[in-house]
């Protein structure tokens, strides 16, 4: 067998490059490192990241993260040397030069696991190793020789996955009212004996209990808007009455979040409700959109030759994970977020149902499907942890008509408006239209994949019902009017084919004609213009496209009626599987029929009267000057109107809560952005402030001497502030271009000071992994955009400084301009900015012992926006030099006697990744 100590090991960072061969480690140049890894299999940790640091993105080798994914497929690992050492109970390396030796030691420890009788994930390992050996996985020679061949053939993945069971519909929940003393007792049970009393949390739980009372008025849920400052303990505050009601009423409470981070946190908190993990798995179910889950049929296709090269290796590692996963969630679940990035995301998206390809009961793995299992488990669960979009879609057009959410807690409620805006909007774009064509017609020409059109999905219906078969054929013929493959090339070349492509070409021409007047066409970013005063060519193209879409809608509508008739007639061939397949097709057909209807309403607007309820515009989507889509868009001016109609009014009780629900404004703002203003009796209100001592433990510094647009000065400011804080910095940007420019200028400088720097849109890792690394290393800093402004919970020892490059003004889009005009002009803008500032500031102090500084690098920060920060927080305008002195002093205090319990201050010998 190959001795891991004989393998060379390489570590590359912004601070340098170290190569270990034999027992000698030396610093080497980039060229030497690249040449050595090309000659000999070399141990690496996160090859894409190392390749980026070397300026050689195609770097390959023996990546320990791939080995970890094979041996421990569903176990968490922070993908850094420090994280690897802690996971394997190995000593942390004292310096970067010691990391290559750690890689050798870790390799030995992992390979020894393969022969250990304590290896928990042994089942299926031998078979997977043989498959990976045939695929020439670099680790296969070391792995396969160390796994003993089992005495009996190992079960195939698809034969050992459990099947879900069909249960009778759950009875309607009982009508109960919660007693206040019982709510308090449940809260004390969840917080645990000896927990510090929190009067604010008790008051919050008591107020939240009111939403679980029996409903009194039609179209008026028991609704509460609750703003509870950071540190109140909102999660346990609403889980106490929610779990109590679920147990007494035998019903389900849906808890909805906006971010996956909070979903994971809630899933962990469920163990407080049900300490036995087996019980918790039944009583608490996490629900996400279909595109988040592994599709077993796609995986089977991949394992049987559908993938090749590195993508085929990824499929094998995902199959290893699928045998041990909790719920099959590939996005934010127990699949390591870093795994797809190791393969440059080759194949990962093809393993989920991202294109509406699901054939439901027609799938041979239907009874084992992760998505179907989750949907059925949620029907009998006490708590369903979902997201805003899923709750809205399920209420508006979901297949699970018997599971419409009735008791809902919207956590991160300040995002409800944005979630509704996205859910209830419509876009007639090239990408949307070609997806509809493929759904109707199936594969065309030389296209590959398992996509099936209506004729293949409903062949038994077509053979049984003549009218249904004719409707399928008519729909397929009408779908030919939709854009086909390479539609964008034809439009750019001025040769559109068909009425919908002609419409998109006319829309593109209008956008470019109007953008030329403003000088935006050469900027390289997406372009848009109001759908106002359309020219004759656009109006005529819209009329032709509308006729084509109407010709498609009619057979789809007729087909839906024929399928419903077949369900009623129940012919002999309509067994359980066939019925489920037809019912699934009815639901899938229904929302696509709704989509075409919405497109027709949008096209009627072109050349016709405007509708004051909507905002319509034309757009050309571009990335760095490259076009990727063209479309006509429609959003509700106030998306909380359909939210109230589809979700709130049918519900029994709704709690909308957040630490920044009012968005730095008043209750009118919260009421208008939550949908409560569209209910007959509105909503009750509850407010409690944070218990944290913001005046003593935080400060807001507005730096006045950084010139706007000066990237060199901006970069210098970030570097000096991060050095003053000793890392632990979250840097927030409003533009990816500036983020990349700053990172490129300061990463090496900070690395020489022992301060690792990571960045969204730069480092080849998903956002969740970047946050995990940032949280794990108190000397690391992270640069990011809007995604990091909210939903990031990092303790004070790892986050003690937040730096914003400037005021997060809204992008001047057509939609924003319309809402600004309707919402009071600059006052509308101010409310949005205050909300964003409050959310960003909320990242800083997450625990009572946290301490930190919030820095804004903009002299143009208006005083009227400063009310976004908690009352009493010190706010000063000062120079960069003065800010650095203040940050340095604040950080030293925070990492001294006030350091978080159980965490060390900044280590003197940091480990860089």
């Amino acid at each position: 067998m190959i001795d891991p100590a004989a393998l060379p090991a390489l570590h590359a960072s912004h601070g340098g490059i170290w190569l270990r061969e034999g027992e000698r480690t030396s610093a080497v140049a980039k060229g030497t490192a690249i040449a050595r890894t090309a000659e000999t299999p070399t141990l690496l940790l996160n090859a894409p990241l190392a390749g980026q640091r070397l300026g050689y993105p195609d770097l390959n080798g023996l990546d320990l993260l791939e080995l970890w994914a094979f041996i421990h497929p569903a176990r968490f690992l922070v993908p850094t040397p420090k994280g690897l050492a802690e996971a394997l109970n190995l000593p942390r390396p004292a310096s970067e030069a010691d990391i290559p030796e750690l890689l050798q030691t870790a390799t030995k420890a992992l390979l020894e696991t393969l022969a250990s009788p304590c290896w928990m994930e042994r089942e299926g390992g031998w078979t997977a190793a043989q498959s990976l050996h045939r695929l020439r996985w670099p680790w296969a020679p070391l792995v396969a020789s160390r796994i003993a061949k089992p005495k009996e053939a190992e079960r195939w993945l698809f034969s050992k996955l459990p099947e879900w069971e069909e249960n009778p519909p759950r009875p309607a929940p009982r009508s109960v009212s919660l007693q206040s003393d019982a709510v308090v007792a449940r809260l004390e049970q969840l917080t645990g004996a000896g927990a510090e009393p929190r009067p604010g949390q008790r008051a919050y739980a008591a107020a939240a209990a009111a939403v679980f009372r029996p409903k009194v008025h039609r179209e008026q849920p028991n609704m509460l808007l609750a703003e509870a400052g950071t540190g109140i303990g909102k999660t346990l505050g609403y889980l106490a009455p929610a779990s109590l009601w679920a147990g007494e009423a035998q019903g389900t409470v849906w808890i909805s979040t906006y971010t996956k981070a909070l979903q994971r946190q809630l899933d962990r908190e469920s163990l407080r409700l049900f300490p036995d993990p087996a019980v918790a798995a039944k009583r608490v179910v996490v629900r996400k959109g279909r595109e988040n889950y592994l599709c077993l049929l796609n995986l089977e296709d991949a394992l049987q030759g559908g993938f090749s090269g590195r993508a085929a290796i990824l499929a094998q590692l995902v199959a290893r994970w699928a045998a041990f996963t909790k719920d099959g969630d590939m996005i934010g679940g127990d699949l390591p977020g870093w795994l797809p990035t190791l393969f440059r995301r080759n194949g990962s998206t093809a393993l989920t149902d991202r294109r509406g390809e699901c054939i439901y009961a027609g799938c041979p793995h239907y009874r084992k499907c992760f998505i179907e299992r989750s949907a059925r488990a949620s029907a009998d669960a006490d708590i369903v942890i979902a997201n805003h979009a899923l709750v809205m879609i399920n209420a508006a057009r979901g297949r699970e008509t018997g599971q419409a959410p009735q008791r809902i807690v919207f956590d991160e409620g300040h995002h409800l408006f944005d979630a509704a805006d996205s859910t209830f909007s419509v876009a007639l774009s090239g990408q949307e239209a070609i997806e509809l064509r493929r759904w109707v017609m199936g594969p065309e020409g030389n296209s590959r994949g398992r996509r099936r059109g209506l004729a293949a999905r409903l062949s038994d219906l077509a053979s049984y019902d003549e009218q249904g078969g004719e409707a399928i054929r008519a729909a397929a013929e009408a779908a030919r009017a939709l854009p086909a493959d390479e539609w964008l090339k034809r439009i750019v070349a001025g040769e559109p084919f068909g009425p919908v492509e002609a419409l998109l070409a006319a829309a593109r021409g209008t956008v470019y004609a109007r953008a030329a007047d403003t000088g935006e066409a050469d900027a390289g970013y997406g372009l848009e213009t109001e759908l106002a005063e359309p020219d004759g060519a656009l109006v005529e193209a819209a009329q032709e496209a509308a006729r084509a879409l109407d010709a498609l809608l009619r057979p789809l509508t007729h087909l839906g009626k024929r399928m419903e008739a077949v369900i009623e007639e129940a012919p002999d061939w309509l067994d359980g599987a066939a019925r489920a397949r037809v019912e699934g097709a009815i639901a899938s057909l229904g929302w696509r029929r709704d989509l075409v209807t919405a497109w027709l309403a949008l096209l009627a607007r072109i050349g016709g009267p405007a509708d004051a309820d909507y905002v319509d515009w034309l757009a050309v989507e571009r990335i760095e000057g490259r076009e990727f889509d063209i479309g006509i868009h429609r959003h509700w001016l106030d998306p909380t109107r359909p939210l109230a109609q589809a979700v709130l009014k049918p519900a029994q009780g709704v709690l909308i809560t957040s630490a920044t629900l009012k968005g730095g404004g008043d209750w009118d703002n919260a009421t208008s952005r939550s949908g409560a203003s569209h209910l007959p009796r509105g909503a009750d209100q509850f407010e409690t402030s944070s218990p944290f001592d913001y005046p003593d433990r935080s400060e807001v510094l507005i730096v006045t001497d950084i010139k706007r647009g000066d990237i060199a000065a901006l970069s210098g400011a970030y570097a000096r502030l991060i050095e003053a804080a000793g890392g632990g910095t979250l840097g927030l940007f409003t533009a990816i271009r500036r983020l990349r420019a700053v990172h490129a200028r300061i990463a090496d400088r900070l690395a020489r000071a022992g301060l690792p720097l990571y960045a969204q849109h730069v480092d080849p890792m998903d956002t969740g992994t970047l946050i995990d690394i940032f949280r794990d290393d108190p000397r690391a800093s992270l640069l990011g955009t809007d995604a990091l402004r909210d939903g990031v919970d990092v303790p004070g020892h790892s986050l003690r400084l937040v730096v914003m490059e400037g005021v997060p003004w809204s992008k001047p889009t057509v939609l924003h301009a319309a809402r600004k005009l309707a919402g009071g002009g600059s006052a509308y803008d101010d409310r949005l900015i205050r909300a964003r500032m409050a959310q960003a500031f909320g990242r800083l102090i997450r625990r009572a012992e946290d301490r930190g500084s919030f820095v804004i690098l903009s002299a143009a920060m208006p005083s009227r926006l400063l009310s976004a920060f908690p009352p009493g927080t010190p706010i000063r305008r000062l120079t960069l030099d003065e800010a650095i002195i203040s940050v340095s002093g604040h950080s030293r205090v925070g990492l001294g006697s006030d350091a978080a319990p159980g965490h060390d201050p900044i280590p003197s010998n940091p480990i860089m990744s």
Side-chain angles (χ1 to χ4, degrees), residues 16-91:
I17 305 165
W18 290 267
L19 178 67
R20 182 175 178 83
E21 297 182 283
E23 297 184 356
R24 181 173 179 270
T25 302
S26 57
V28 297
K30 288 184 178 180
T32 302
I34 294 170
R36 194 71 182 96
T37 55
E39 296 168 357
T40 306
T42 303
L43 298 176
L44 303 165
L45 186 67
N46 197 333
L49 183 62
Q52 184 191 72
R53 303 285 164 84
L54 293 174
Y56 185 68
D58 295 327
L59 182 73
N60 286 306
L62 295 166
D63 195 330
L64 270 80
L65 293 183
E66 292 183 31
L67 181 61
W68 177 277
F70 176 86
I71 297 175
H72 301 304
R75 292 198 202 180
F76 177 76
L77 174 72
V78 178
T80 62
K82 174 177 177 286
L84 182 65
E86 291 179 346
L88 295 174
N89 294 316
L90 298 174

Side-chain angles (χ1 to χ4, degrees), residues 173-362:
R174 296 172 52 232
S175 296
V176 300
S177 294
L178 302 180
Q179 301 299 315
S180 58
D181 55 347
V183 173
V184 171
R186 175 57 60 88
L187 179 61
E188 291 177 347
Q189 174 191 339
L190 295 179
T191 56
E196 178 184 354
R198 295 185 182 183
Q201 187 182 48
R202 283 194 174 194
Y204 178 90
V211 306
F212 298 100
R213 295 193 307 260
K215 188 174 181 178
V216 177
H217 302 285
R218 185 172 179 269
E219 294 194 339
Q220 175 61 56
N222 298 315
M223 186 165 172
L224 176 69
L225 304 178
E227 179 171 280
T230 305
I232 287 297
K234 292 189 298 297
T235 301
L236 297 183
Y238 59 66
L239 278 178
S243 60
L244 187 63
W245 179 87
E248 292 186 5
Q250 293 299 293
T252 301
V253 178
W254 286 66
I255 299 178
S256 179
T257 76
Y258 189 72
T259 62
K260 292 183 174 67
L262 183 55
Q263 275 192 318
R264 289 194 296 268
Q265 178 186 329
L266 284 165
D267 194 23
R268 291 193 298 268
E269 294 284 6
S270 67
L271 292 177
R272 292 177 181 260
L273 293 170
F274 308 103
D276 184 345
V279 175
K282 293 182 178 180
R283 306 316 306 162
V284 180
V285 174
V286 177
R287 289 287 307 274
K288 295 182 180 179
R290 305 183 66 87
E291 69 280 358
N292 289 274
Y293 293 93
L294 173 67
C295 171
L296 293 176
L297 188 54
N298 282 351
L299 177 62
E300 183 182 24
D301 288 347
L303 295 177
Q304 294 184 344
F307 284 9
S308 61
R310 290 279 290 166
I313 294 173
L314 172 62
Q316 291 289 338
L317 295 178
V318 169
R320 282 281 293 152
W321 163 79
F324 300 96
T325 177
K326 173 186 174 183
D327 55 10
D329 180 6
M330 292 187 68
I331 314 295
D334 52 14
L335 180 76
W338 40 259
L339 182 60
T341 63
L342 300 182
F343 296 84
R344 281 74 172 179
R345 297 206 174 272
N346 284 341
S348 62
T349 56
L351 293 175
T352 60
D353 178 26
R354 289 182 175 271
R355 299 181 297 180
E357 291 182 332
C358 184
I359 54 177
Y360 300 102

Side-chain angles (χ1 to χ4, degrees), residues 301-423:
D301 288 347
L303 295 177
Q304 294 184 344
F307 284 9
S308 61
R310 290 279 290 166
I313 294 173
L314 172 62
Q316 291 289 338
L317 295 178
V318 169
R320 282 281 293 152
W321 163 79
F324 300 96
T325 177
K326 173 186 174 183
D327 55 10
D329 180 6
M330 292 187 68
I331 314 295
D334 52 14
L335 180 76
W338 40 259
L339 182 60
T341 63
L342 300 182
F343 296 84
R344 281 74 172 179
R345 297 206 174 272
N346 284 341
S348 62
T349 56
L351 293 175
T352 60
D353 178 26
R354 289 182 175 271
R355 299 181 297 180
E357 291 182 332
C358 184
I359 54 177
Y360 300 102
C363 175
H365 308 302
Y366 181 66
R367 300 286 301 184
K368 299 176 181 180
C369 175
F370 289 116
I371 305 168
E372 296 295 331
R373 182 187 303 146
S374 174
R376 282 160 177 77
S378 65
D380 295 317
D382 287 1
I383 304 292
V384 175
I385 303 170
N387 56 62
H388 296 348
L390 179 64
V391 170
M392 294 177 195
I393 291 172
N394 206 29
R397 65 184 190 208
R399 295 175 60 222
E400 307 151 35
T401 54
Q403 295 187 38
Q406 292 291 299
R407 274 88 182 173
I408 313 171
V409 176
F410 285 109
D411 203 341
E412 299 180 309
H414 57 278
H415 283 301
L416 203 56
F417 185 95
D418 295 327
D421 187 32
S422 176
T423 300

